[in-house]
């Protein structure tokens, strides 16, 4: 016997129980035994803190492998800077696009809890294989070469394939982990309860604070080990961190709230049917639509004029067999919610391209500068991203405890400013970041010329790494506005059954941004490189022109901000 519903819960018991208590959470939410969730004994900040701790450990893990990946590819793997940057951006793009598939599986079949659990196991497996890959590469180099010659030896094709298979296994794990964990965390708050609704809005700010706190230790500790001790150990420590995250996640099982998955009314198929039927009925007249709307007890209002062609899905498909039941007005409204997000999604892509630079060319810039903190201690170039992390850690509390109350007093809105305003402010700050980065790069190139180091790519330019700090700080500030705003926006503005999909849509912006960054680098490198491999992204950064690239990104972001502002004005929440 099959059932049409399933509970996102590890226990097998799933019988609904009646409970008239005012403390019972509505909306079909249950506890770990399948009973109606009690507001006092489940969910809330208790459950959210378990999940924030998991996110903190996972971000430590992710940063431990991603922040210094370009150094591993250009060093141990022997790739050129442009090729390594393309590979980093491509992997980052895949890792942030796969959540679309992970969200579909979670929201339709497995549920968020099970998806997180399976993804965590895959994560540990991928990291274990990455660690083994680095150890084998180190052993083979030690056996065949010695001294300085180790640096010039190239890995075998098998070693390269083995590494990238393990790296992309991590990307698959991220596809299930990233969209579900944050959505599952927000699910621990009841949006219908005034007190918990306010806590849910604050949750996104503190979630992002936890999201950037985890990488701090990785940038300080793991990157140093990778650069100075061992890549095997440098990948092994993140693997152990992910094991700890899995244990913490399981510890919170009894405290979580779980949603019931209604498979007979799959939200993806239900909304997809609206688009397919509207396409088949594109010739239907407006009068027939009005008759059907009135038959369903709904009269058109001013908001129904937007995407009104979708109402054609209310009619039976012309010349086709029954395709799974009627479309209702509520289905059309849910489809319109999804469609309204598309222009916002596109207009934010330019921001995502800028965000991708913090792990690629910002790091390469830093590798050429004097990174001495004090005599005998040099900060790894990948660890410069710490200043971006510190910026977020400073501005999140300021935003939540100072900015929101002040703007709330002026606007009367609970969140101070709208989510779209928040996103737009961050996009403007990102443009300032690119302008700053371009000016600093001009200064770096001038210093290289001044000291006669243009043709010495391995020399340390007598210019302090502190020159790069402003661009990291500005990008961190932009993230507090744009990235947190996008997280809340795409979670809040999708139908309730598609929360994981909403988070995955936000993540896909970053994924496409990585792909676009990789594509831009490839096109510019092919166009400006010439036969001698120079151009904007020359392996000798002292002859490259990253400043031109930063000016280009600043200009593209300005275009994106203008288009975003135009779209945001007409958006209907």
């Amino acid at each position: 016997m099959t059932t049409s519903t399933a509970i996102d819960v590890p226990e097998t018991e799933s019988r609904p129980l009646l409970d008239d208590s005012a403390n019972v959470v509505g909306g079909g939410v249950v506890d770990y035994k399948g009973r109606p969730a009690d507001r006092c004994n489940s969910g809330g900040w208790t459950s959210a803190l378990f999940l924030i701790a998991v996110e903190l450990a996972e971000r430590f893990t992710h940063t431990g492998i991603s922040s210094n990946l370009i150094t591993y590819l250009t060093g141990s793997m022997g790739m050129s800077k442009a090729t390594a940057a393309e590979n980093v951006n491509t992997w980052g793009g895949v890792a942030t696009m796969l959540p679309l598939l992970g969200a579909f599986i979670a929201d339709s079949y497995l549920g968020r809890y099970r998806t997180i659990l399976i993804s965590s196991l895959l994560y540990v497996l991928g990291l274990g294989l990455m660690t083994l890959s680095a150890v084998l590469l180190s052993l083979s180099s030690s056996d065949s070469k010695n001294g300085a010659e180790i640096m010039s030896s190239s890995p075998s094709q098998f070693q390269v394939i083995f590494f990238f298979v393990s790296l992309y296994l991590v990307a698959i794990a991220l596809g299930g982990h990233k969209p579900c964990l944050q959505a599952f965390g927000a699910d621990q708050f009841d949006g219908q309860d005034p007190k918990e609704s306010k806590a849910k809005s604050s949750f996104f700010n503190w979630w992002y604070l936890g999201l950037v706190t985890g990488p701090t230790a990785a940038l300080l500790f793991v990157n140093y080990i990778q650069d100075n001790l061992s890549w095997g150990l440098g990948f092994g420590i993140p693997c152990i961190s992910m094991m700890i995250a899995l244990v913490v996640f399981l510890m919170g099982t009894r405290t979580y709230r779980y949603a019931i998955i209604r498979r007979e009314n799959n939200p993806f198929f239900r909304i997809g049917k609206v688009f397919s039927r509207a396409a088949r009925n594109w010739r239907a007249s407006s009068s027939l639509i009005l008759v059907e709307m009135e038959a369903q007890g709904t009269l058109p209002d001013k908001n129904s004029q937007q995407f009104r062609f979708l109402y054609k899905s209310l009619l039976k498909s012309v010349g086709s067999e029954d395709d799974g039941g009627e479309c209702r007005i509520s289905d059309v409204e849910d489809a319109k919610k999804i469609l309204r997000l598309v222009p916002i999604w596109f207009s934010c892509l330019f921001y995502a391209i800028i965000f991708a630079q913090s792990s690629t060319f910002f790091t390469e810039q830093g590798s050429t500068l004097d990174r001495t903190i004090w005599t005998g201690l040099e900060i790894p170039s990948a660890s410069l991203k710490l200043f971006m992390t510190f910026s977020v850690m400073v501005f999140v509390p300021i935003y939540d405890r100072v900015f929101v109350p002040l703007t709330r007093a002026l606007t009367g809105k609970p969140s101070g400013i709208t989510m779209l305003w928040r996103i737009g402010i961050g996009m403007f700050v990102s443009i300032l970041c690119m302008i700053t980065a371009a000016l600093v790069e001009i200064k770096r190139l001038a210093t290289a010329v001044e000291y006669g180091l243009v043709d010495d790519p391995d020399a340390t330019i007598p210019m302090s790494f502190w020159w790069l700090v402003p661009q990291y700080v500005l990008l961190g500030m932009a993230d507090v506005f744009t990235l947190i705003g996008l997280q809340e926006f795409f979670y809040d503005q999708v139908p309730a059954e598609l929360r994981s999909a909403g988070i995955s849509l936000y993540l896909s912006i970053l994924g496409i941004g990585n792909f676009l960054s990789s594509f831009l680098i490839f096109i510019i490198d092919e166009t400006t490189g010439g036969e001698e491999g120079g151009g904007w992204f020359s392996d000798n950064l002292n002859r490259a022109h990253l400043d031109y690239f930063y000016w280009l990104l600043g200009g593209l972001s300005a275009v994106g901000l203008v288009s975003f502002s135009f779209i945001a004005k007409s958006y209907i929440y």
Side-chain angles (χ1 to χ4, degrees):
M1 180 177 179
T2 59
T3 60
S4 59
T5 63
I7 297 176
D8 178 17
V9 58
E11 299 291 332
T12 56
E13 182 181 356
S14 60
R15 64 182 183 275
L17 301 176
L18 295 176
D19 192 335
D20 296 327
S21 171
N23 287 328
V24 171
V25 181
V29 178
V30 297
D31 65 11
Y32 76 104
K33 287 187 176 180
R35 303 170 301 193
D38 186 274
R39 198 183 307 280
C40 298
N41 299 320
S42 68
W45 281 110
T46 300
S47 297
L49 288 175
F50 275 108
L51 299 171
I52 289 175
V54 173
E55 178 69 3
L56 190 150
E58 190 279 327
R59 287 294 89 188
F60 171 87
T61 299
H62 182 268
T63 303
I65 61 174
S66 64
S67 63
N68 216 16
L69 185 58
I70 192 169
T71 303
Y72 185 71
L73 295 181
T74 55
S76 299
M77 288 290 172
M79 296 181 182
S80 69
K81 286 180 171 58
T83 301
E86 289 173 25
N87 275 292
V88 171
N89 285 330
T90 301
W91 177 77
V94 171
T96 44
M97 287 300 295
L98 282 176
L100 290 169
L101 176 61
F104 172 77
I105 294 172
D107 288 346
S108 300
Y109 302 106
L110 294 179
R112 286 163 198 151
Y113 179 90
R114 290 190 181 96
T115 304
I116 295 167
L117 180 60
I118 294 171
S119 298
S120 297
L121 293 171
L122 285 176
Y123 213 143
V124 172
L125 176 61
L127 290 167
L129 293 176
M130 281 184 67
T131 303
L132 179 61
S133 171
V135 170
L136 291 176
L137 179 59
S138 176
L139 291 175
S140 64
S141 298
S142 299
D143 289 340
S144 60
K145 303 285 183 181
N146 54 65
E149 290 181 309
I150 292 177
M151 300 304 295
S152 61
S153 62
S154 298
S156 67
Q157 185 177 9
F158 170 78
Q159 289 170 326
V160 173
I161 293 173
F162 185 57
F163 173 77
F164 276 101
V165 167
S166 60
L167 184 65
Y168 276 88
L169 184 59
V170 171
I172 293 172
L174 284 166
H177 205 277
K178 289 175 74 70
C180 295
L181 190 63
Q182 185 173 7
F184 193 52
D187 288 346
Q188 304 310 308
F189 300 93
D190 181 9
Q192 302 303 314
D193 179 74
K195 184 177 179 181
E196 291 197 20
S197 178
K198 185 178 179 181
K200 177 184 283 191
S201 180
S202 185
F203 165 79
F204 285 96
N205 291 326
W206 296 105
W207 176 272
Y208 198 76
L209 181 62
L211 186 149
V212 299
T213 302
T216 303
L219 293 169
L220 280 172
F221 180 53
V222 178
N223 288 165
Y224 180 84
I225 291 175
Q226 291 169 343
D227 283 356
N228 297 281
L229 298 179
S230 164
W231 280 100
L233 184 59
F235 289 146
I237 291 173
C239 182
I240 294 172
S241 172
M242 198 60 217
M243 292 179 184
I244 295 173
L246 176 57
V247 172
V248 172
F249 176 70
L250 292 173
M251 287 172 60
T253 297
R254 290 174 176 266
T255 74
Y256 301 144
R257 295 174 184 171
Y258 304 86
I260 295 178
I261 305 168
R262 304 188 181 279
R263 291 172 182 165
E264 83 285 355
N265 198 24
N266 187 297
F268 289 94
F269 298 144
R270 179 170 56 82
I271 293 174
K273 186 170 63 178
V274 171
F275 291 104
S276 64
R277 276 198 173 183
R280 274 182 262 168
N281 295 334
W282 67 278
R283 291 183 177 178
S285 66
S286 299
S287 59
L288 290 176
I289 298 172
L290 288 173
V291 170
E292 183 62 28
M293 291 180 70
E294 291 177 359
Q296 293 196 22
T298 303
L299 294 176
D301 56 26
K302 62 178 182 179
N303 290 337
S304 68
Q305 299 305 309
Q306 188 181 38
F307 307 129
R308 60 183 300 176
F309 67 90
L310 290 179
Y311 289 110
K312 295 181 180 182
S313 65
L314 299 174
L315 306 174
K316 291 184 178 180
S317 300
V318 179
S320 66
E321 298 180 357
D322 180 74
D323 54 355
E326 297 180 352
C327 289
R328 304 194 61 80
I329 294 290
S330 59
D331 300 330
V332 177
E333 293 304 319
D334 284 347
K336 288 167 69 174
K337 290 177 184 178
I338 300 298
L339 204 55
R340 277 196 290 266
L341 298 176
V342 174
I344 299 293
W345 187 93
F346 273 105
S347 63
C348 292
L349 290 177
F350 293 119
Y351 178 86
I353 298 176
I354 290 178
F355 182 79
Q357 307 316 309
S358 63
S359 297
T360 53
F361 289 124
F362 280 19
T363 302
E364 288 298 312
Q365 274 182 297
S367 67
T368 68
L369 302 182
D370 180 7
R371 290 171 278 113
T372 303
I373 299 179
W374 58 73
T375 304
L377 180 61
E378 183 177 82
I379 183 173
S381 57
S383 294
L384 293 176
K385 200 173 179 179
L386 272 172
F387 293 103
M388 183 176 167
T389 302
F390 291 150
S391 176
V392 173
M393 293 172 68
V394 169
F395 283 107
V396 163
I398 291 175
Y399 182 90
D400 195 70
R401 299 301 178 186
V402 179
F403 182 82
V404 170
L406 287 177
T407 53
R408 182 187 296 149
L410 295 174
T411 65
K413 299 180 182 295
S415 58
I417 57 176
T418 66
M419 290 175 279
L420 291 178
W421 260 99
R422 181 174 187 172
I423 294 167
I425 291 172
M427 293 175 71
F428 175 75
V429 175
S430 74
I431 298 173
L432 299 180
C433 172
M434 284 297 96
I435 293 173
T436 302
L439 294 174
V440 170
E441 179 61 10
I442 291 172
K443 167 67 177 175
R444 192 190 68 82
L445 293 174
T447 304
V449 172
E450 180 183 352
Y451 286 87
L453 301 174
V454 172
D455 294 315
D456 189 358
D458 296 325
T460 298
I461 294 175
M463 177 176 167
S464 174
F465 70 90
W466 289 104
W467 282 89
L468 294 178
V469 171
Q471 65 200 57
Y472 280 106
V473 170
L474 285 171
L475 191 54
M477 188 189 304
D479 287 353
V480 171
F481 284 93
T482 296
L483 289 190
I484 301 178
L486 284 171
Q487 289 174 12
E488 184 176 3
F489 180 78
F490 279 94
Y491 177 88
D492 185 74
Q493 295 296 300
V494 297
E497 306 140 288
L498 296 176
R499 301 301 196 194
S500 298
I503 296 296
S504 70
L505 281 173
Y506 145 71
L507 292 170
S508 70
I509 293 175
L510 303 180
I512 294 297
N514 275 283
F515 285 130
L516 290 176
S517 177
S518 183
F519 176 73
L520 274 176
I521 292 170
F522 173 77
I523 294 298
I524 293 171
D525 193 47
E526 289 293 313
T527 304
T528 66
E531 296 181 359
E532 298 181 358
W536 290 14
F537 307 121
S538 171
D539 283 344
N540 179 1
L541 281 187
N542 298 333
R543 286 198 173 276
H545 274 292
L546 293 183
D547 52 332
Y548 294 171
F549 185 55
Y550 293 151
W551 286 122
L552 175 64
L553 294 186
L556 291 175
S557 267
V559 173
L561 178 58
V562 171
S563 63
F564 173 84
S565 301
F566 178 78
I567 294 166
K569 285 182 179 179
S570 59
Y571 183 82
I572 300 173
Y573 284 90

